[in-house]
Amino acid sequence: MSTQTVMLIDANKLFREGLSRLLLDVSFQVTAEFASVDEAIGEPAVQADLVLVDPGEDATALTRIGPLRQQRPDTPLVILTGSLDARRLTQALEAGISGYLMKDMSADALAQSLRLVMMGEKVFPTHLAELLLSGQVQPQPATEITALRKGLSQRETQILRCLIDGDSNKIIASSLGITEATVKVHLKSLLRKINAVNRTQAAIWAMNNGLGQAEVTQAANSDGPATIGVATA
């Protein structure tokens, strides 16, 4: 397995040193360290395969993530922080991050999550679904929703709404008046279009992009914890 280089941004030097040693054991090598996002922005020539950052607890800290992301548009950026706050999570999502991870996760889960990010996955905490369903994390603007939905048929959109409700293929087929085989065909197509690998990811995608907001007040899913490409601690 090839080693991926990491730019690590965290105010705590001891934490940086410890994480650097841990990551080296799982094929990630920290090649650049910074105490703040501003320091990293000030060194645009520094290259890395992945940016791992704790923006800190400052209320304005996450506003610097956008410029850092713009400076490195082709480099996955993952937030690794000690708290899951709806407002901060929304800011991070708007900045186009590839993942939002918690510092209390296990080393194995962190390693697996980072590997998924390097494969192009979006990785977020299991708490994300709860935040989405409670309305604490707001869906994206209508213009972005329209762009993201491009290519989805009316039937696929209906199935996405059913997934938000946690409906099984049998229930979806009954409610839409189609066969279970047809549901499977539509499900396979919509998963491909929105780059989701399972119905859980599809349901979270739908919630995060405004589908079913008027129709649904609470939802569940049949695939276990709602995660996007991550093995939890």
Side-chain angles (χ1 to χ4, degrees):
M1 182 182 297
S2 61
T3 299
Q4 306 285 345
T5 58
V6 178
M7 175 188 292
L8 178 58
I9 306 171
D10 192 290
N12 189 312
K13 181 174 177 60
L14 187 61
F15 176 81
R16 296 200 307 269
E17 291 181 354
L19 186 59
S20 295
R21 294 172 184 171
L22 183 153
L23 291 177
L24 195 56
D25 291 336
V26 291
S27 300
F28 287 91
Q29 182 178 7
V30 175
T31 55
E33 293 183 22
F34 297 99
S36 70
V37 174
D38 284 333
E39 283 187 14
I41 292 176
E43 298 289 344
V46 175
Q47 299 298 312
D49 298 319
L50 171 71
V51 176
L52 190 58
V53 54
D54 183 350
E57 298 302 321
D58 189 327
T60 63
L62 272 171
T63 63
R64 306 299 293 150
I65 295 299
L68 179 64
R69 185 75 184 86
Q70 292 170 11
Q71 188 182 74
R72 303 170 182 276
D74 300 322
T75 304
L77 190 154
V78 175
I79 301 292
L80 179 62
T81 185
S83 60
L84 180 60
D85 175 83
R87 180 186 58 79
R88 291 166 63 82
L89 177 56
T90 300
Q91 285 182 295
L93 291 171
E94 290 173 348
I97 62 169
S98 296
Y100 193 107
L101 304 175
M102 308 305 297
K103 285 185 174 180
D104 64 354
M105 69 192 312
S106 70
D108 287 342
L110 174 61
Q112 183 176 351
S113 297
L114 295 183
R115 292 190 191 107
L116 289 170
V117 167
M118 298 310 298
M119 294 170 60
E121 294 281 355
K122 301 289 186 180
V123 186
F124 297 99
T126 52
H127 308 75
L128 176 59
E130 180 181 347
L131 293 175
L132 289 171
L133 296 174
S134 68
Q136 295 182 65
V137 177
Q138 297 302 314
Q140 298 173 358
T143 53
E144 294 182 32
I145 295 172
T146 299
L148 288 170
R149 289 183 189 173
K150 186 176 182 181
L152 290 178
S153 68
Q154 181 178 9
R155 183 67 79 192
E156 288 167 347
T157 301
Q158 291 173 329
I159 290 174
L160 273 174
R161 290 196 176 100
C162 291
L163 293 181
I164 293 174
D165 285 326
D167 293 343
S168 66
N169 287 351
K170 183 176 181 179
I171 293 176
I172 294 173
S174 176
S175 63
L176 298 182
I178 56 179
T179 66
E180 286 189 58
T182 301
V183 171
K184 292 179 181 179
V185 171
H186 285 305
L187 184 58
K188 182 177 180 179
S189 174
L190 73 87
L191 289 177
R192 185 184 69 253
K193 289 179 180 179
I194 64 175
N195 296 320
V197 298
N198 55 42
R199 59 203 299 131
T200 300
Q201 285 192 15
I204 294 177
W205 182 94
M207 286 298 298
N208 201 32
N209 289 284
L211 279 172
Q213 291 298 307
E215 300 89 352
V216 179
T217 57
Q218 74 177 51
N221 68 76
S222 58
D223 289 342
T227 65
I228 304 179
V230 60
T232 58

